[in-house]
Amino acid sequence: MKTPNYHDFYPKELIAIGADDLITLKESDTYNPYSPSTHWLIAVEGVQLPQPKIYYHWKVSVYPANSEGDFNWQKPYYCSAPMKLIDHAITLASSLAASSIKDELTSAALLEKIS
């Protein structure tokens, strides 16, 4: 796996990047013209809190990836705020996946960042 949270990293199926989302992605800091992305990788990631008992918060990350699923874990396109419940993270990941299928992920992620 290509992330330091490999044991707490739950990716959804790759989703092809639509034309409108690709235009916005190309304008972002995340885009790498030397390794062009064709798909979104949306994942729920566990972030272990520093305390004696093992306790996690959860975040949703969206990574530009190629068709093989290769991505740069250090440069997500979008990363949510930490959430206490994994159910909330799964719901957000599903919502972002639905937006990406409609070629509206970049606008949905922007709205999520604002709210």
Side-chain angles (χ1 to χ4, degrees):
M1 188 66 58
K2 301 149 194 79
T3 172
N5 290 332
Y6 67 92
H7 55 286
D8 303 307
F9 186 81
Y10 306 100
K12 297 179 90 46
E13 191 172 315
L14 291 173
I15 301 169
I17 298 175
D20 291 338
D21 281 342
L22 186 59
I23 290 168
T24 305
L25 175 62
K26 285 181 176 180
E27 296 170 353
S28 76
D29 295 341
T30 309
Y31 186 72
N32 180 354
Y34 303 107
S35 178
S37 300
T38 56
H39 291 76
W40 293 120
L41 174 68
I42 300 171
V44 174
E45 296 182 71
V47 180
Q48 189 172 350
L49 300 178
Q51 58 188 36
K53 246 184 171 179
I54 296 176
Y55 186 72
Y56 286 88
H57 276 183
W58 302 91
K59 65 180 181 176
V60 177
S61 300
V62 178
Y63 298 94
N66 66 17
S67 61
E68 304 287 318
D70 292 329
F71 65 98
N72 182 348
W73 62 267
Q74 295 174 317
K75 291 191 114 186
Y77 177 77
Y78 167 79
C79 200
S80 74
M83 295 172 241
K84 291 182 180 179
L85 301 176
I86 192 170
D87 294 341
H88 293 167
I90 291 170
T91 299
L92 175 59
S94 295
S95 172
L96 291 173
S99 294
S100 67
I101 290 169
K102 294 187 230 172
D103 195 16
E104 298 172 349
L105 183 125
T106 54
S107 57
L110 178 62
L111 289 174
E112 182 64 30
K113 285 180 186 178
I114 293 170
S115 61

